[in-house]
Amino acid sequence: MAGSTKTSRKAARYAVPVAVAGVAAATVAMVPAFANAGSPDLPKITAQQLIEKIAASDVQQLSGTARVTTDLGLPKIASGLLGGAGMTGGSAAPEDKLAQLASGSHTFKVAADGPDRQKVTFLDGKDEYSLVHNGADVWGYDSKSDEVFHEKDPYAGQGEKGKGGKDGKSGKEHKTADRMPTTPQQFAEEALKAAGPTTEVSVGESAQVAGRDAYQLVLKPKQAGSTVGSVQIAVDAKNGVPLRFQLLSSQGGKPIVDAGFTKVDFAAPAAGTFDFTPPKGAKITEGGGEHRAGDHAGKDADKGFKGLEMLPGFDGLAGAGGKGGETKVIGEGWSTIARIDSGTGKGLKELENDKNAPKQAKDFLSSLGEKVSGSFGEGRVLSTRLVNALVTDDGKVYVGAVTKDALVKAAEANK
């Protein structure tokens, strides 16, 4: 794809930086607005022209409703653990809410007015969670616990320059404002950045998303062995804004991830939309600006998992080698596998044979793993519809968005 690197970077710079998860994370009972209401008759366009259309989009204001559904194929015990995963900062911390995007369907209202003002309000159940970025402040409020999370945005007012954009400096600390829930636009940016020689890029059938005519950009792996069948990005035919992102499995069935708008309006949100005052009596937790998992990962690990970091629950894989461990990247593109050597020489077999191990841990292991063997010895494959991992009995982990057979072959060739 000619000029893909230059163009995708431009796309990432100009796409609307809206705080919407929907991304972060498929569409079984998806609302009618997500369906293709016929195929609108649009002027013909090439894949390169469509990418350039995304890159040229200068839309900075919008409001609407979005929905994200994630179906990673996790067993119930694993989904429960992810859905209830608590992280530092209290229940109002954005990381706590983002952990829930690894499974299920989530609906929210969104609004954006440039790079320094965004708001997302989750509408799941009777309780609400709101995340507001307004200038120098980032607020999270959980109505169920009546807790507030607050963090200062050190780059407020600096636009892309302060956030590592064209004139930005690398290595700066990324705080919550840079880790807000992922939008269809942000999913699209990551997919375009990951596209390269191993990707077939084309234009699919036109569609209607949230009542707007859209082209569909289709990215398909050229290599065998990937769990990804294709990535489909619906792009507004008028303004070039990505309206929906779908990640489809190579095995067919429901999308693994379907993130998109059900309603959208590109007018400026009302002036008071981004105002927030902590409710009287609410517990307020000040954020410490911790780095996101994987921020300090090695160069090779980052390269190997660039395409996976856009998915909820997998942004920490790049740093999975841990202190003292060793990570080796095998292959490239969609078939990339990371071999992580813990250096302990211990694997899951020890847990299986440990009489003192908690029953819950053993149940979790049994629910996830399938025993395999080869010239590398024995191990267990932990499977989802997207990412699979082979944990060998000598403490090595082979992980990637590839099939079980691809992991076994990698282990045999790189034992």
Side-chain angles (χ1 to χ4, degrees), residues 240-317:
V241 172
L243 299 173
R244 182 182 65 197
F245 172 97
Q246 291 180 308
L247 178 65
L248 304 179
S249 170
S250 59
Q251 300 299 311
K254 301 173 292 185
I256 298 171
V257 177
D258 194 315
F261 294 102
T262 58
K263 294 180 182 179
V264 65
D265 186 338
F266 294 104
T273 299
F274 310 102
D275 295 339
F276 179 81
T277 301
K280 186 177 180 180
K283 177 184 176 182
I284 301 177
T285 300
E286 291 292 334
E290 295 87 358
H291 287 280
R292 180 176 59 180
D295 280 352
H296 301 294
K299 183 178 180 181
D300 286 343
D302 179 68
K303 174 184 175 183
F305 286 98
K306 197 73 174 179
L308 299 182
E309 288 180 351
M310 62 182 173
L311 298 165
F314 294 102
D315 63 341
L317 282 176

Side-chain angles (χ1 to χ4, degrees), residues 200-276:
E200 176 187 312
V201 185
S202 63
V203 177
E205 291 187 3
S206 59
Q208 274 206 336
V209 179
R212 297 184 66 88
D213 292 349
Y215 292 102
Q216 291 204 93
L217 187 67
V218 181
L219 311 179
K220 288 185 177 181
K222 291 181 179 179
Q223 304 153 301
S226 175
T227 56
V228 176
S230 67
V231 170
Q232 298 186 9
I233 304 167
V235 181
D236 193 292
K238 290 186 177 180
N239 59 29
V241 172
L243 299 173
R244 182 182 65 197
F245 172 97
Q246 291 180 308
L247 178 65
L248 304 179
S249 170
S250 59
Q251 300 299 311
K254 301 173 292 185
I256 298 171
V257 177
D258 194 315
F261 294 102
T262 58
K263 294 180 182 179
V264 65
D265 186 338
F266 294 104
T273 299
F274 310 102
D275 295 339
F276 179 81

Side-chain angles (χ1 to χ4, degrees), residues 18-101:
V18 189
V20 177
V23 106
T27 203
V28 195
M30 195 57 77
V31 296
F34 268 53
N36 291 358
S39 297
D41 187 14
L42 298 174
K44 298 296 183 183
I45 191 172
T46 67
Q48 185 63 35
Q49 289 171 331
L50 186 51
I51 291 172
E52 291 172 355
K53 189 177 187 68
I54 298 172
S57 178
D58 61 355
V59 174
Q60 293 289 314
Q61 300 170 321
L62 65 78
S63 59
T65 304
R67 183 178 177 90
V68 57
T69 301
T70 308
D71 181 13
L72 295 173
L74 294 169
K76 290 183 179 180
I77 186 170
S79 298
L81 289 172
L82 284 171
M87 298 187 184
T88 60
S91 65
E95 290 87 346
D96 289 358
K97 192 64 180 180
L98 287 173
Q100 299 177 26
L101 297 182

